[in-house]
Amino acid sequence: LPAFYAYVVFLSVSNLPFRLQKLKEMFMSKFGSAPKFYVRAPGRVNLIGEHIDYCGYAVLPMAIEQDILIAVEPVKTQVVQLANTSSLYLDFSTSVNNIQINKNKPQWHNYFLCGLKGIQEHFGLNNPTGMNCLLDGTIPPSSGLSSSSALVCCAGLVTLRANGKTLSKVELAEICTKSERYIGTEGGGMDQSISFLAEEGTAKLIEFSPLRATDVRLPSGAAFVIANSCVEMNKAATSHYNIRVMECRLATKLLSKSKGLDWKKMLRLHDVQTKLGVSLEEMLSIVEEVLHPEPYSTEEICKCLGISLEELRSQILSQNTQD
């Protein structure tokens, strides 16, 4: 396999050689030529810290065997052609110079386009390379195991390789975190970070600002059972995920305003804690002191911040939480 595989750590995946051979055969049947390289990104399960990464707080995930695997052939035409080994996902093609991501329809190819666009914009690529890509995925979709983020990471890696660019794993994770927001999900970075920074036999304590990962050795003989309830939730297809992100963002701004901070620049609860120079326990006391437990109306939030409803919707809330 090409040395480029070193970018994404392989966990123990016993059937990988078989999958690669099958992927190669399907690629040749589809595109009439052989792939030039392959890229893989694993899914993840979170052990501690669910839904706090977008508040700036540390999380403890680990990668799993299930993954996204893409066979790639750079081409001279400036067109990206995407195909999937599953018949559930339709083929897609577009010009690499005109990336359009539809937030209202989070179809599988849009996640690829997020990673593609993120790398293109990071390097300011004016003449990006076209590609033929065939994707194979073993992460159950919409199961909470980061199939979408793994696809974004894979796409970023594919674009990086095809255009002859290099980045560190940390830089890749940060770019893919930002680029997944093109589809409308206001994620915090846990999924992309563990996909790139995972290592076999260890979970990772992921901390932010700056992004860093520390090994957390798991107890010898410990086994983790990841059970799939088979209830699907595509977080980009509804406002459920972003509602909680926005609730935390609004709490951040209300706390900042009450403590005389520049609330317009504050997005995450951890930023408030850092600015105030307080401990987590002290931060909890401030929350209880400033915020009331009853629900807040948009009118009350606007009054507290001294802004109009239109300013609240356009300047703070995400597109799918404005109402």
Side-chain angles (χ1 to χ4, degrees):
L1 302 179
F4 197 72
Y5 262 115
Y7 261 98
V8 180
V9 177
F10 277 93
L11 306 184
S12 300
V13 185
S14 57
N15 68 339
L16 186 62
F18 172 79
R19 286 177 64 206
L20 285 170
Q21 182 59 36
K22 196 71 177 173
L23 195 60
K24 181 179 180 180
E25 292 171 2
M26 293 183 69
F27 189 99
M28 294 178 71
S29 175
K30 182 74 178 177
F31 297 111
S33 52
K36 296 298 186 291
F37 63 92
Y38 304 83
V39 166
R40 174 182 178 266
R44 68 97 186 97
V45 66
N46 194 28
L47 304 180
I48 301 175
E50 197 71 68
H51 283 273
I52 61 173
D53 56 331
Y54 53 69
C55 293
Y57 289 104
V59 288
L60 184 67
M62 63 181 180
I64 57 176
E65 287 189 353
Q66 287 74 14
D67 62 23
I68 299 293
L69 184 64
I70 303 181
V72 188
E73 177 192 25
V75 293
K76 293 182 180 179
T77 60
Q78 288 190 306
V79 173
V80 58
Q81 294 194 77
L82 304 176
N84 200 301
T85 58
S86 171
S87 59
L88 296 174
Y89 304 104
L90 300 177
D91 291 0
F92 177 82
S93 64
T94 188
S95 166
V96 289
N97 289 311
N98 185 30
I99 302 301
Q100 301 292 326
I101 299 172
N102 189 339
K103 293 182 179 182
N104 298 318
K105 292 184 178 180
Q107 297 168 313
W108 77 278
H109 62 261
N110 281 322
Y111 291 99
F112 186 98
L113 296 181
C114 284
L116 175 66
K117 184 176 180 179
I119 294 298
Q120 284 185 2
E121 292 192 347
H122 177 78
F123 287 101
L125 298 176
N126 296 318
N127 195 30
T129 301
M131 298 174 284
N132 293 333
C133 301
L134 179 61
L135 179 146
D136 181 57
T138 58
I139 308 170
S142 304
S143 63
L145 296 174
S146 292
S147 57
S148 55
S149 294
L151 176 50
V152 173
C153 289
C154 247
L157 203 48
V158 164
T159 309
L160 193 74
R161 167 66 170 171
N163 287 277
K165 303 295 184 180
T166 58
L167 289 168
S168 71
K169 294 179 183 180
V170 168
E171 289 171 320
L172 270 167
E174 291 179 327
I175 291 169
C176 289
T177 295
K178 294 175 183 176
S179 63
E180 188 166 339
R181 294 173 189 152
Y182 292 135
I183 208 166
T185 304
E186 298 283 334
M190 170 178 65
D191 302 351
Q192 300 82 0
S193 298
I194 192 61
S195 192
F196 283 117
L197 304 175
E199 294 182 71
E200 187 174 0
T202 178
K204 290 280 187 180
L205 174 66
I206 306 286
E207 299 172 275
F208 304 96
S209 300
L211 176 62
R212 54 206 186 278
T214 306
D215 286 356
V216 177
R217 291 290 167 185
L218 303 174
S220 177
F224 291 84
V225 177
I226 303 167
N228 185 358
S229 69
C230 298
V231 176
E232 295 188 359
M233 172 59 77
N234 185 329
K235 62 185 180 184
T238 71
S239 62
H240 299 324
Y241 183 91
N242 277 0
I243 283 174
R244 180 49 55 89
V245 179
M246 292 305 130
E247 287 171 341
C248 293
R249 183 174 296 176
L250 290 171
T252 296
K253 294 186 178 297
L254 291 176
L255 290 170
S256 300
K257 180 78 180 292
S258 72
K259 294 300 178 181
L261 303 176
D262 187 354
W263 64 268
K264 291 185 178 181
K265 294 182 179 179
M266 293 290 188
L267 295 175
R268 308 181 306 169
L269 291 166
H270 186 265
D271 297 336
V272 179
Q273 183 185 340
T274 301
K275 275 287 186 183
L276 294 177
V278 298
S279 67
L280 186 59
E281 289 73 17
E282 291 170 323
M283 182 70 172
L284 289 171
S285 297
I286 292 171
V287 168
E288 293 175 350
E289 165 202 329
V290 175
L291 302 179
H292 58 66
E294 298 79 27
Y296 281 76
S297 66
T298 51
E299 291 77 14
E300 183 179 5
I301 290 169
C302 289
K303 183 178 179 181
C304 290
L305 296 179
I307 59 175
S308 67
L309 183 58
E310 180 55 36
E311 288 173 316
L312 175 67
R313 286 174 171 164
S314 63
Q315 298 176 18
I316 300 177
L317 298 179
S318 66
Q319 184 176 338
N320 66 349
T321 61
Q322 290 181 358
D323 298 318

